[in-house]
Amino acid sequence: MAETDNRPEQPKVRKRFRFKSVVALANRKLSVQFAAIVLASSTLISALLGIFRDRLLNSYYLDTYPTGIDAYTAAFTIPDFLFFILTSGALAVSFIPVFNQRLIAGNKKSAWELSSSLLNLMALLTLAASVLIMLFADPLVRYVVGPGLDESGTILAINMMRVIAINPFLFSISTILSSIQQALGRFVFYALAPALYNIGILIGIVWFTGGVNIFGWQLFDGGIMGVALGVVLGAVLQLFVSLVGLIGLGFDYEFKINWKNQGFRSVLKLLPARSLDQGVDYINTIVTTNLSSRMGAGALRSYNQAYSLSQMPVSLVGVAISTAFFPKLTEELCEGKEAQYRKTFRTALSTIIWIAMPVAIIAFFARGYVVSFIKNGGDTLIASILATLIISIFANSVFHIATRGFYAHQDTRTPFIVSILSVGMTIMLAIIFTLLGCGPEGLGWAQSIGAVVEVIVLLVLLQRRSNHQLLDHGFWRSFLKIAAATAVTGCVAYSMTKFFPLMASDDSFFNIFPKFCLITLVSLVVYLIAGRFLNIDQVQPVLEKLKRIVTKKSKQSKG
């Protein structure tokens, strides 16, 4: 007979061991290259989930219940604004470098005191802000973000704002916890958070809108208010994954605010200026929300969606390239290499222009396809507003490298002053165009004009700072070549959209996506050919890279 195995089973121990092992494996310190891959992948996944989220929302409500979707969009504005200026500003500037300084010096106690103090202070501030939003949601909706909504939309927006008001509190905690993980080189759980936030909203759209029933108890009747509950669920999921990411990091939390901690005081000194800088830009969002709410049902949501679409290429082009070049610009100035700094800045600026120009022109002619990604069957109003925002795609992309030109000189004052003036002009134009009856498209034109003026002023000031040596004749020759290649690309993109027009039957993502890819691919190929013919500097490295890829694949197929 076979021997009997009398060893006791330990299923619970094994489960605990496996859970800790998985968390420890995911929470190990990553190299810079692998962290970049993780973050890029999570950004892409989150963006795709965001597109799917907006597609569901717009398809469900933009045509059938525009008042409701406008109310939902307006309800976000104030909670997002308060989180943006309170928590985001503190972390973006000072927390991570100050925290790391303490760790490098071997002073973990001070680092954890800083973390606990900032966490507790921000939690208290945002909790108070959340309570105030709940208390004053009525006047905030009626007089600040949604004065043009009808009575049913106003009541709905007030109720949804009170639900969403908890988000600044939840976001502030999860953001600080995630920042601790970033500072320690842990990125996996930080990268998961945005995707889980979108998943929470998707759950709200798909399930909560039908009502919430637990064990026969009807807790919620459903409707678009279910989406607001999904938003809160997403924030809770984001907080949960941020807490899991702390496992094994040795976070020594204290339930107190240590005002004597020097790192904590350093963060507080930098907070007001940065908060004002970010708050100025968001004031424009509040004003456009206010004005668009007066333009009829669906206008508020339509402008919001068009603006969001215009910001996607700005983030992928302007922000990404500027962020990559910024350390080099700073280093060259610190070493006194002014001439090399000017060369690097021209390279970064030319690269952004080279990518942003064709992206903007293709987006203009293929805007119907782009809008179809977020609303089944497309939407003429969103497409019309997006057309007016095309210029802002180019200008806002250039804006990010222009401001970093000042930041490299340790000058944050000049961009801040220019930002105040440009936002003021944009708001003034938006009001004028609204009074002239230009509709939501007028808000788009105001945004584009303001962005162009801001970029021109920043570049002129940078040119003066460098004694007119920054943007030389070589740069302007390159700019004209890129503009000429873009003009050819625009003609091709226009012809392709006429050859492959949007049809009434194109009411499915799988019908639209292949056409859009074909239009984009042919247009970009023509852009590269035109650039090669005009000897644009950025084209040759791309062609050589493509040639190496094709040659490598050819050798592999033969082998």
Side-chain angles (χ1 to χ4, degrees), residues 246-259:
L246 288 179
I247 295 177
L249 300 186
F251 181 29
D252 186 12
Y253 172 74
E254 294 181 341
F255 189 64
K256 68 177 183 179
I257 299 175
N258 190 334
W259 297 100

Side-chain angles (χ1 to χ4, degrees), residues 92-169:
V93 171
S94 60
F95 171 70
I96 292 176
V98 173
F99 179 83
N100 274 337
Q101 285 175 357
R102 270 106 188 111
L103 289 183
I104 292 171
N107 194 348
K108 283 188 176 182
K109 184 177 184 297
S110 178
W112 295 133
E113 281 182 355
L114 162 62
S115 304
S116 297
S117 298
L118 187 61
L119 177 62
N120 294 332
L121 177 63
M122 288 303 163
L124 288 174
L125 287 176
T126 52
L127 181 60
S130 295
V131 172
L132 288 174
I133 292 172
M134 293 177 188
L135 292 174
F136 294 100
D138 192 306
L140 286 171
V141 171
R142 292 184 186 277
Y143 305 114
V144 180
V145 296
L149 297 174
D150 61 24
E151 188 60 26
S152 64
T154 298
I155 294 173
L156 185 59
I158 291 169
N159 291 333
M160 282 196 284
M161 184 178 284
R162 284 173 174 155
V163 172
I164 299 172
I166 194 63
N167 273 16
F169 171 69

Side-chain angles (χ1 to χ4, degrees), residues 28-55:
R28 70 187 190 279
K29 190 170 184 177
L30 304 179
S31 66
V32 174
Q33 293 82 359
F34 193 57
I37 293 172
V38 170
L39 292 174
S41 301
S42 70
T43 300
L44 177 60
I45 292 170
S46 182
L48 292 174
L49 287 171
I51 290 173
F52 183 53
R53 173 202 68 204
D54 288 341
R55 184 177 175 85

Side-chain angles (χ1 to χ4, degrees), residues 218 229 289 346 388 520 529:
Q218 189 71 24
L229 292 178
T289 302
R346 285 194 295 269
T388 65
T520 303
I529 293 173

Side-chain angles (χ1 to χ4, degrees), residues 216-288:
W217 290 74
Q218 189 71 24
L219 301 181
F220 177 68
D221 292 331
I224 196 170
M225 185 65 75
V227 185
L229 292 178
V231 171
V232 176
L233 174 62
V236 171
L237 291 175
Q238 187 166 300
L239 176 58
F240 172 75
V241 76
S242 300
L243 288 168
V244 173
L246 288 179
I247 295 177
L249 300 186
F251 181 29
D252 186 12
Y253 172 74
E254 294 181 341
F255 189 64
K256 68 177 183 179
I257 299 175
N258 190 334
W259 297 100
K260 295 181 180 180
N261 184 282
Q262 291 299 318
F264 178 57
R265 296 170 72 174
S266 297
V267 173
L268 294 185
K269 287 179 182 178
L270 292 169
L271 173 60
R274 181 59 177 171
S275 296
L276 285 174
D277 193 8
Q278 296 197 40
V280 165
D281 290 333
Y282 207 90
I283 289 173
N284 186 40
T285 300
I286 294 175
V287 172
T288 54

